[in-house]
mmCIF file of all heavy atoms in Angstrom:
data_model
loop_
_atom_site.group_PDB
_atom_site.id
_atom_site.type_symbol
_atom_site.label_atom_id
_atom_site.label_comp_id
_atom_site.label_asym_id
_atom_site.label_seq_id
_atom_site.Cartn_x
_atom_site.Cartn_y
_atom_site.Cartn_z
ATOM 1 N N GLY P 1 -38.906 -152.713 -51.847
ATOM 2 C CA GLY P 1 -39.414 -152.250 -53.138
ATOM 3 C C GLY P 1 -39.407 -150.748 -53.318
ATOM 4 O O GLY P 1 -39.954 -150.252 -54.296
ATOM 5 N N LYS P 2 -38.803 -150.007 -52.406
ATOM 6 C CA LYS P 2 -38.776 -148.557 -52.498
ATOM 7 C C LYS P 2 -37.428 -148.089 -53.041
ATOM 8 O O LYS P 2 -36.401 -148.729 -52.856
ATOM 9 C CB LYS P 2 -39.020 -147.915 -51.133
ATOM 10 C CG LYS P 2 -40.337 -148.325 -50.478
ATOM 11 C CD LYS P 2 -41.534 -147.827 -51.262
ATOM 12 C CE LYS P 2 -42.832 -148.181 -50.551
ATOM 13 N NZ LYS P 2 -44.023 -147.681 -51.275
ATOM 14 N N SER P 3 -37.445 -146.932 -53.693
ATOM 15 C CA SER P 3 -36.226 -146.357 -54.245
ATOM 16 C C SER P 3 -36.009 -144.968 -53.668
ATOM 17 O O SER P 3 -36.963 -144.286 -53.277
ATOM 18 C CB SER P 3 -36.310 -146.258 -55.779
ATOM 19 O OG SER P 3 -36.446 -147.538 -56.355
ATOM 20 N N GLU P 4 -34.764 -144.578 -53.628
ATOM 21 C CA GLU P 4 -34.421 -143.246 -53.138
ATOM 22 C C GLU P 4 -33.255 -142.708 -53.941
ATOM 23 O O GLU P 4 -32.286 -143.419 -54.202
ATOM 24 C CB GLU P 4 -34.074 -143.284 -51.652
ATOM 25 C CG GLU P 4 -33.773 -141.918 -51.069
ATOM 26 C CD GLU P 4 -33.637 -141.940 -49.561
ATOM 27 O OE1 GLU P 4 -33.854 -143.019 -48.974
ATOM 28 O OE2 GLU P 4 -33.315 -140.904 -48.975
ATOM 29 N N PHE P 5 -33.354 -141.445 -54.334
ATOM 30 C CA PHE P 5 -32.296 -140.786 -55.082
ATOM 31 C C PHE P 5 -31.488 -139.923 -54.122
ATOM 32 O O PHE P 5 -32.046 -139.094 -53.398
ATOM 33 C CB PHE P 5 -32.872 -139.927 -56.212
ATOM 34 C CG PHE P 5 -33.502 -140.733 -57.315
ATOM 35 C CD1 PHE P 5 -34.841 -141.075 -57.260
ATOM 36 C CD2 PHE P 5 -32.746 -141.149 -58.397
ATOM 37 C CE1 PHE P 5 -35.435 -141.824 -58.263
ATOM 38 C CE2 PHE P 5 -33.325 -141.897 -59.405
ATOM 39 C CZ PHE P 5 -34.672 -142.238 -59.347
ATOM 40 N N VAL P 6 -30.175 -140.117 -54.146
ATOM 41 C CA VAL P 6 -29.287 -139.366 -53.264
ATOM 42 C C VAL P 6 -28.312 -138.574 -54.136
ATOM 43 O O VAL P 6 -27.413 -139.152 -54.764
ATOM 44 C CB VAL P 6 -28.500 -140.302 -52.328
ATOM 45 C CG1 VAL P 6 -27.605 -139.492 -51.401
ATOM 46 C CG2 VAL P 6 -29.457 -141.183 -51.535
ATOM 47 N N PRO P 7 -28.460 -137.258 -54.220
ATOM 48 C CA PRO P 7 -27.507 -136.456 -55.008
ATOM 49 C C PRO P 7 -26.163 -136.366 -54.298
ATOM 50 O O PRO P 7 -26.092 -136.070 -53.109
ATOM 51 C CB PRO P 7 -28.183 -135.086 -55.088
ATOM 52 C CG PRO P 7 -29.089 -135.027 -53.900
ATOM 53 C CD PRO P 7 -29.537 -136.443 -53.642
ATOM 54 N N LEU P 8 -25.095 -136.663 -55.017
ATOM 55 C CA LEU P 8 -23.741 -136.595 -54.476
ATOM 56 C C LEU P 8 -23.058 -135.354 -55.009
ATOM 57 O O LEU P 8 -22.771 -135.265 -56.206
ATOM 58 C CB LEU P 8 -22.948 -137.849 -54.858
ATOM 59 C CG LEU P 8 -23.533 -139.190 -54.396
ATOM 60 C CD1 LEU P 8 -22.677 -140.338 -54.905
ATOM 61 C CD2 LEU P 8 -23.647 -139.237 -52.879
ATOM 62 N N ARG P 9 -22.815 -134.409 -54.136
ATOM 63 C CA ARG P 9 -22.175 -133.148 -54.537
ATOM 64 C C ARG P 9 -20.798 -133.069 -53.883
ATOM 65 O O ARG P 9 -20.678 -133.194 -52.671
ATOM 66 C CB ARG P 9 -23.028 -131.953 -54.108
ATOM 67 C CG ARG P 9 -24.422 -131.940 -54.721
ATOM 68 C CD ARG P 9 -25.154 -130.658 -54.345
ATOM 69 N NE ARG P 9 -26.472 -130.585 -54.956
ATOM 70 C CZ ARG P 9 -27.586 -131.035 -54.392
ATOM 71 N NH1 ARG P 9 -27.543 -131.567 -53.176
ATOM 72 N NH2 ARG P 9 -28.753 -130.943 -55.004
ATOM 73 N N HIS P 10 -19.784 -132.860 -54.691
ATOM 74 C CA HIS P 10 -18.423 -132.804 -54.164
ATOM 75 C C HIS P 10 -18.015 -131.353 -53.891
ATOM 76 O O HIS P 10 -18.636 -130.406 -54.368
ATOM 77 C CB HIS P 10 -17.451 -133.455 -55.139
ATOM 78 C CG HIS P 10 -17.420 -132.792 -56.487
ATOM 79 N ND1 HIS P 10 -16.728 -131.629 -56.737
ATOM 80 C CD2 HIS P 10 -18.019 -133.136 -57.659
ATOM 81 C CE1 HIS P 10 -16.876 -131.275 -57.995
ATOM 82 N NE2 HIS P 10 -17.655 -132.162 -58.586
ATOM 83 N N GLU P 11 -16.960 -131.229 -53.110
ATOM 84 C CA GLU P 11 -16.420 -129.913 -52.837
ATOM 85 C C GLU P 11 -15.730 -129.364 -54.078
ATOM 86 O O GLU P 11 -15.335 -130.108 -54.982
ATOM 87 C CB GLU P 11 -15.415 -129.976 -51.686
ATOM 88 C CG GLU P 11 -16.006 -130.423 -50.359
ATOM 89 C CD GLU P 11 -14.961 -130.445 -49.269
ATOM 90 O OE1 GLU P 11 -14.441 -129.357 -48.925
ATOM 91 O OE2 GLU P 11 -14.640 -131.531 -48.761
ATOM 92 N N VAL P 12 -15.596 -128.056 -54.108
ATOM 93 C CA VAL P 12 -14.939 -127.411 -55.248
ATOM 94 C C VAL P 12 -13.490 -127.880 -55.325
ATOM 95 O O VAL P 12 -12.754 -127.872 -54.334
ATOM 96 C CB VAL P 12 -14.996 -125.875 -55.099
ATOM 97 C CG1 VAL P 12 -14.253 -125.209 -56.250
ATOM 98 C CG2 VAL P 12 -16.440 -125.408 -55.044
ATOM 99 N N GLY P 13 -13.093 -128.319 -56.511
ATOM 100 C CA GLY P 13 -11.728 -128.779 -56.709
ATOM 101 C C GLY P 13 -11.490 -130.214 -56.309
ATOM 102 O O GLY P 13 -10.358 -130.694 -56.397
ATOM 103 N N LYS P 14 -12.527 -130.919 -55.842
ATOM 104 C CA LYS P 14 -12.386 -132.313 -55.454
ATOM 105 C C LYS P 14 -13.416 -133.152 -56.196
ATOM 106 O O LYS P 14 -14.356 -132.626 -56.787
ATOM 107 C CB LYS P 14 -12.565 -132.479 -53.948
ATOM 108 C CG LYS P 14 -11.545 -131.720 -53.105
ATOM 109 C CD LYS P 14 -11.769 -131.967 -51.624
ATOM 110 C CE LYS P 14 -10.736 -131.223 -50.790
ATOM 111 N NZ LYS P 14 -10.928 -131.442 -49.333
ATOM 112 N N SER P 15 -13.252 -134.478 -56.166
ATOM 113 C CA SER P 15 -14.187 -135.384 -56.833
ATOM 114 C C SER P 15 -14.241 -136.697 -56.063
ATOM 115 O O SER P 15 -13.386 -136.978 -55.219
ATOM 116 C CB SER P 15 -13.763 -135.634 -58.285
ATOM 117 O OG SER P 15 -12.467 -136.213 -58.324
ATOM 118 N N PHE P 16 -15.249 -137.514 -56.364
ATOM 119 C CA PHE P 16 -15.397 -138.821 -55.723
ATOM 120 C C PHE P 16 -14.532 -139.846 -56.448
ATOM 121 O O PHE P 16 -14.491 -139.878 -57.676
ATOM 122 C CB PHE P 16 -16.858 -139.277 -55.760
ATOM 123 C CG PHE P 16 -17.785 -138.425 -54.939
ATOM 124 C CD1 PHE P 16 -18.615 -137.501 -55.544
ATOM 125 C CD2 PHE P 16 -17.838 -138.547 -53.561
ATOM 126 C CE1 PHE P 16 -19.472 -136.715 -54.793
ATOM 127 C CE2 PHE P 16 -18.672 -137.782 -52.803
ATOM 128 C CZ PHE P 16 -19.498 -136.857 -53.418
ATOM 129 N N ASP P 17 -13.863 -140.707 -55.680
ATOM 130 C CA ASP P 17 -13.142 -141.822 -56.297
ATOM 131 C C ASP P 17 -13.744 -143.162 -55.904
ATOM 132 O O ASP P 17 -13.413 -144.193 -56.489
ATOM 133 C CB ASP P 17 -11.656 -141.781 -55.923
ATOM 134 C CG ASP P 17 -11.443 -141.811 -54.412
ATOM 135 O OD1 ASP P 17 -12.443 -141.862 -53.676
ATOM 136 O OD2 ASP P 17 -10.284 -141.761 -53.994
ATOM 137 N N GLN P 18 -14.638 -143.195 -54.906
ATOM 138 C CA GLN P 18 -15.330 -144.424 -54.545
ATOM 139 C C GLN P 18 -16.562 -144.088 -53.702
ATOM 140 O O GLN P 18 -16.643 -143.034 -53.073
ATOM 141 C CB GLN P 18 -14.412 -145.376 -53.770
ATOM 142 C CG GLN P 18 -13.953 -144.850 -52.425
ATOM 143 C CD GLN P 18 -13.101 -145.864 -51.673
ATOM 144 O OE1 GLN P 18 -13.022 -147.030 -52.051
ATOM 145 N NE2 GLN P 18 -12.469 -145.428 -50.597
ATOM 146 N N VAL P 19 -17.516 -145.010 -53.739
ATOM 147 C CA VAL P 19 -18.739 -144.901 -52.934
ATOM 148 C C VAL P 19 -18.922 -146.224 -52.207
ATOM 149 O O VAL P 19 -18.960 -147.286 -52.846
ATOM 150 C CB VAL P 19 -19.978 -144.597 -53.806
ATOM 151 C CG1 VAL P 19 -21.229 -144.575 -52.940
ATOM 152 C CG2 VAL P 19 -19.815 -143.272 -54.530
ATOM 153 N N LYS P 20 -19.011 -146.192 -50.899
ATOM 154 C CA LYS P 20 -19.181 -147.398 -50.099
ATOM 155 C C LYS P 20 -20.639 -147.503 -49.671
ATOM 156 O O LYS P 20 -21.200 -146.556 -49.109
ATOM 157 C CB LYS P 20 -18.274 -147.358 -48.868
ATOM 158 C CG LYS P 20 -18.357 -148.619 -48.011
ATOM 159 C CD LYS P 20 -17.396 -148.543 -46.838
ATOM 160 C CE LYS P 20 -17.474 -149.799 -45.984
ATOM 161 N NZ LYS P 20 -16.529 -149.736 -44.825
ATOM 162 N N VAL P 21 -21.259 -148.656 -49.938
ATOM 163 C CA VAL P 21 -22.671 -148.882 -49.628
ATOM 164 C C VAL P 21 -22.785 -150.025 -48.627
ATOM 165 O O VAL P 21 -22.213 -151.100 -48.831
ATOM 166 C CB VAL P 21 -23.478 -149.215 -50.902
ATOM 167 C CG1 VAL P 21 -24.944 -149.453 -50.554
ATOM 168 C CG2 VAL P 21 -23.352 -148.090 -51.915
ATOM 169 N N SER P 22 -23.504 -149.824 -47.545
ATOM 170 C CA SER P 22 -23.788 -150.892 -46.582
ATOM 171 C C SER P 22 -25.242 -150.784 -46.164
ATOM 172 O O SER P 22 -25.782 -149.681 -46.057
ATOM 173 C CB SER P 22 -22.868 -150.777 -45.360
ATOM 174 O OG SER P 22 -23.052 -149.538 -44.701
ATOM 175 N N TRP P 23 -25.887 -151.927 -45.928
ATOM 176 C CA TRP P 23 -27.316 -151.887 -45.629
ATOM 177 C C TRP P 23 -27.758 -152.956 -44.635
ATOM 178 O O TRP P 23 -28.930 -153.080 -44.332
ATOM 179 C CB TRP P 23 -28.143 -152.018 -46.907
ATOM 180 C CG TRP P 23 -28.095 -153.375 -47.560
ATOM 181 C CD1 TRP P 23 -29.034 -154.365 -47.477
ATOM 182 C CD2 TRP P 23 -27.064 -153.897 -48.397
ATOM 183 N NE1 TRP P 23 -28.646 -155.463 -48.189
ATOM 184 C CE2 TRP P 23 -27.443 -155.193 -48.776
ATOM 185 C CE3 TRP P 23 -25.855 -153.389 -48.859
ATOM 186 C CZ2 TRP P 23 -26.652 -155.982 -49.595
ATOM 187 C CZ3 TRP P 23 -25.066 -154.173 -49.678
ATOM 188 C CH2 TRP P 23 -25.466 -155.450 -50.045
ATOM 189 N N HIS P 24 -26.820 -153.746 -44.104
ATOM 190 C CA HIS P 24 -27.169 -154.736 -43.084
ATOM 191 C C HIS P 24 -26.061 -154.770 -42.049
ATOM 192 O O HIS P 24 -24.932 -155.155 -42.353
ATOM 193 C CB HIS P 24 -27.363 -156.129 -43.691
ATOM 194 C CG HIS P 24 -27.929 -157.118 -42.699
ATOM 195 N ND1 HIS P 24 -29.268 -157.438 -42.647
ATOM 196 C CD2 HIS P 24 -27.334 -157.844 -41.712
ATOM 197 C CE1 HIS P 24 -29.479 -158.314 -41.677
ATOM 198 N NE2 HIS P 24 -28.316 -158.571 -41.090
ATOM 199 N N LEU P 25 -26.370 -154.340 -40.836
ATOM 200 C CA LEU P 25 -25.379 -154.290 -39.770
ATOM 201 C C LEU P 25 -25.490 -155.550 -38.924
ATOM 202 O O LEU P 25 -26.500 -155.782 -38.252
ATOM 203 C CB LEU P 25 -25.597 -153.056 -38.895
ATOM 204 C CG LEU P 25 -24.603 -152.852 -37.739
ATOM 205 C CD1 LEU P 25 -23.188 -152.692 -38.282
ATOM 206 C CD2 LEU P 25 -24.993 -151.638 -36.908
ATOM 207 N N LEU P 26 -24.471 -156.403 -38.977
ATOM 208 C CA LEU P 26 -24.484 -157.655 -38.222
ATOM 209 C C LEU P 26 -24.390 -157.377 -36.721
ATOM 210 O O LEU P 26 -23.604 -156.539 -36.278
ATOM 211 C CB LEU P 26 -23.321 -158.541 -38.650
ATOM 212 C CG LEU P 26 -23.406 -159.178 -40.036
ATOM 213 C CD1 LEU P 26 -22.136 -159.950 -40.353
ATOM 214 C CD2 LEU P 26 -24.617 -160.102 -40.134
ATOM 215 N N SER P 27 -25.206 -158.073 -35.964
ATOM 216 C CA SER P 27 -25.184 -157.963 -34.503
ATOM 217 C C SER P 27 -25.752 -159.245 -33.912
ATOM 218 O O SER P 27 -26.360 -160.056 -34.615
ATOM 219 C CB SER P 27 -26.004 -156.749 -34.034
ATOM 220 O OG SER P 27 -27.350 -156.883 -34.427
ATOM 221 N N SER P 28 -25.548 -159.433 -32.627
ATOM 222 C CA SER P 28 -26.014 -160.655 -31.974
ATOM 223 C C SER P 28 -27.534 -160.723 -31.900
ATOM 224 O O SER P 28 -28.120 -161.800 -31.832
ATOM 225 C CB SER P 28 -25.413 -160.762 -30.566
ATOM 226 O OG SER P 28 -25.763 -159.616 -29.797
ATOM 227 N N SER P 29 -28.198 -159.583 -31.890
ATOM 228 C CA SER P 29 -29.659 -159.542 -31.819
ATOM 229 C C SER P 29 -30.162 -158.366 -32.627
ATOM 230 O O SER P 29 -29.402 -157.446 -32.961
ATOM 231 C CB SER P 29 -30.135 -159.444 -30.362
ATOM 232 O OG SER P 29 -29.646 -158.264 -29.764
ATOM 233 N N VAL P 30 -31.453 -158.397 -32.924
ATOM 234 C CA VAL P 30 -32.075 -157.309 -33.678
ATOM 235 C C VAL P 30 -32.463 -156.195 -32.711
ATOM 236 O O VAL P 30 -33.123 -156.441 -31.700
ATOM 237 C CB VAL P 30 -33.316 -157.812 -34.436
ATOM 238 C CG1 VAL P 30 -33.969 -156.668 -35.211
ATOM 239 C CG2 VAL P 30 -32.940 -158.935 -35.388
ATOM 240 N N GLY P 31 -32.018 -155.001 -32.995
ATOM 241 C CA GLY P 31 -32.338 -153.886 -32.117
ATOM 242 C C GLY P 31 -31.545 -152.662 -32.501
ATOM 243 O O GLY P 31 -31.144 -152.488 -33.664
ATOM 244 N N ASP P 32 -31.285 -151.806 -31.509
ATOM 245 C CA ASP P 32 -30.567 -150.567 -31.764
ATOM 246 C C ASP P 32 -29.126 -150.806 -32.175
ATOM 247 O O ASP P 32 -28.508 -149.950 -32.822
ATOM 248 C CB ASP P 32 -30.602 -149.673 -30.519
ATOM 249 C CG ASP P 32 -32.014 -149.228 -30.165
ATOM 250 O OD1 ASP P 32 -32.859 -149.195 -31.082
ATOM 251 O OD2 ASP P 32 -32.267 -148.922 -28.988
ATOM 252 N N THR P 33 -28.562 -151.954 -31.795
ATOM 253 C CA THR P 33 -27.162 -152.218 -32.100
ATOM 254 C C THR P 33 -26.950 -152.809 -33.487
ATOM 255 O O THR P 33 -25.817 -152.880 -33.959
ATOM 256 C CB THR P 33 -26.560 -153.174 -31.061
ATOM 257 O OG1 THR P 33 -27.311 -154.396 -31.056
ATOM 258 C CG2 THR P 33 -26.621 -152.559 -29.670
ATOM 259 N N GLY P 34 -28.007 -153.267 -34.143
ATOM 260 C CA GLY P 34 -27.842 -153.852 -35.468
ATOM 261 C C GLY P 34 -29.068 -154.606 -35.926
ATOM 262 O O GLY P 34 -30.117 -154.596 -35.281
ATOM 263 N N ASP P 35 -28.918 -155.285 -37.067
ATOM 264 C CA ASP P 35 -30.030 -155.978 -37.710
ATOM 265 C C ASP P 35 -30.041 -157.475 -37.443
ATOM 266 O O ASP P 35 -30.830 -158.205 -38.035
ATOM 267 C CB ASP P 35 -29.987 -155.736 -39.223
ATOM 268 C CG ASP P 35 -30.006 -154.256 -39.560
ATOM 269 O OD1 ASP P 35 -30.856 -153.553 -38.986
ATOM 270 O OD2 ASP P 35 -29.181 -153.804 -40.367
ATOM 271 N N GLY P 36 -29.141 -157.959 -36.578
ATOM 272 C CA GLY P 36 -29.099 -159.381 -36.274
ATOM 273 C C GLY P 36 -28.324 -160.168 -37.319
ATOM 274 O O GLY P 36 -27.793 -159.627 -38.287
ATOM 275 N N VAL P 37 -28.251 -161.484 -37.119
ATOM 276 C CA VAL P 37 -27.561 -162.379 -38.045
ATOM 277 C C VAL P 37 -28.590 -163.015 -38.974
ATOM 278 O O VAL P 37 -29.585 -163.580 -38.502
ATOM 279 C CB VAL P 37 -26.797 -163.479 -37.278
ATOM 280 C CG1 VAL P 37 -26.117 -164.435 -38.245
ATOM 281 C CG2 VAL P 37 -25.788 -162.845 -36.324
ATOM 282 N N PRO P 38 -28.412 -162.938 -40.288
ATOM 283 C CA PRO P 38 -29.382 -163.543 -41.205
ATOM 284 C C PRO P 38 -29.540 -165.035 -40.947
ATOM 285 O O PRO P 38 -28.575 -165.736 -40.621
ATOM 286 C CB PRO P 38 -28.775 -163.273 -42.587
ATOM 287 C CG PRO P 38 -27.878 -162.097 -42.388
ATOM 288 C CD PRO P 38 -27.341 -162.227 -40.997
ATOM 289 N N GLY P 39 -30.759 -165.527 -41.119
ATOM 290 C CA GLY P 39 -31.006 -166.946 -40.914
ATOM 291 C C GLY P 39 -30.510 -167.794 -42.058
ATOM 292 O O GLY P 39 -30.144 -168.954 -41.864
ATOM 293 N N SER P 40 -30.479 -167.233 -43.266
ATOM 294 C CA SER P 40 -30.026 -167.971 -44.449
ATOM 295 C C SER P 40 -29.382 -166.996 -45.415
ATOM 296 O O SER P 40 -29.717 -165.805 -45.430
ATOM 297 C CB SER P 40 -31.194 -168.691 -45.133
ATOM 298 O OG SER P 40 -31.863 -169.556 -44.234
ATOM 299 N N TYR P 41 -28.471 -167.535 -46.231
ATOM 300 C CA TYR P 41 -27.841 -166.749 -47.286
ATOM 301 C C TYR P 41 -28.149 -167.382 -48.631
ATOM 302 O O TYR P 41 -28.519 -168.555 -48.719
ATOM 303 C CB TYR P 41 -26.321 -166.682 -47.097
ATOM 304 C CG TYR P 41 -25.866 -165.749 -45.998
ATOM 305 C CD1 TYR P 41 -25.526 -166.251 -44.739
ATOM 306 C CD2 TYR P 41 -25.759 -164.383 -46.212
ATOM 307 C CE1 TYR P 41 -25.094 -165.408 -43.730
ATOM 308 C CE2 TYR P 41 -25.332 -163.525 -45.207
ATOM 309 C CZ TYR P 41 -25.006 -164.040 -43.973
ATOM 310 O OH TYR P 41 -24.579 -163.208 -42.968
ATOM 311 N N ALA P 42 -27.957 -166.606 -49.659
ATOM 312 C CA ALA P 42 -28.125 -167.149 -51.004
ATOM 313 C C ALA P 42 -27.038 -168.180 -51.274
ATOM 314 O O ALA P 42 -25.887 -167.988 -50.875
ATOM 315 C CB ALA P 42 -28.052 -166.032 -52.034
ATOM 316 N N PRO P 43 -27.376 -169.300 -51.922
ATOM 317 C CA PRO P 43 -26.352 -170.321 -52.218
ATOM 318 C C PRO P 43 -25.302 -169.820 -53.194
ATOM 319 O O PRO P 43 -24.200 -170.339 -53.241
ATOM 320 C CB PRO P 43 -27.173 -171.471 -52.807
ATOM 321 C CG PRO P 43 -28.409 -170.816 -53.328
ATOM 322 C CD PRO P 43 -28.706 -169.673 -52.406
ATOM 323 N N ASN P 44 -25.640 -168.815 -53.975
ATOM 324 C CA ASN P 44 -24.687 -168.198 -54.908
ATOM 325 C C ASN P 44 -25.183 -166.783 -55.173
ATOM 326 O O ASN P 44 -25.900 -166.221 -54.353
ATOM 327 C CB ASN P 44 -24.575 -169.033 -56.203
ATOM 328 C CG ASN P 44 -25.954 -169.423 -56.732
ATOM 329 O OD1 ASN P 44 -26.844 -168.583 -56.844
ATOM 330 N ND2 ASN P 44 -26.122 -170.700 -57.032
ATOM 331 N N THR P 45 -24.820 -166.233 -56.298
ATOM 332 C CA THR P 45 -25.242 -164.870 -56.604
ATOM 333 C C THR P 45 -26.672 -164.795 -57.110
ATOM 334 O O THR P 45 -27.153 -163.711 -57.438
ATOM 335 C CB THR P 45 -24.305 -164.255 -57.658
ATOM 336 O OG1 THR P 45 -24.319 -165.082 -58.826
ATOM 337 C CG2 THR P 45 -22.890 -164.140 -57.114
#
């Protein structure tokens, strides 16, 4: 339920063409290597 604003500043003469977002790192277990495997997924969107 928390929000965060991230200002994206490009270099002079350059611009962004895409932004990649990831927030769940799959791993065999929960810990420093990742967030583990989800127990369930949404049946659709």
Side-chain angles (χ1 to χ4, degrees):
K2 303 294 183 179
S3 298
E4 183 171 356
F5 291 90
V6 181
L8 301 177
R9 300 185 178 91
H10 60 79
E11 297 181 65
V12 177
K14 299 182 179 180
S15 60
F16 294 103
D17 57 0
Q18 64 177 348
V19 177
K20 182 178 180 180
V21 180
S22 60
W23 70 100
H24 189 98
L25 181 61
L26 289 176
S27 61
S28 58
S29 61
V30 179
D32 296 335
T33 58
D35 303 312
V37 178
S40 304
Y41 285 99
N44 46 49
T45 58

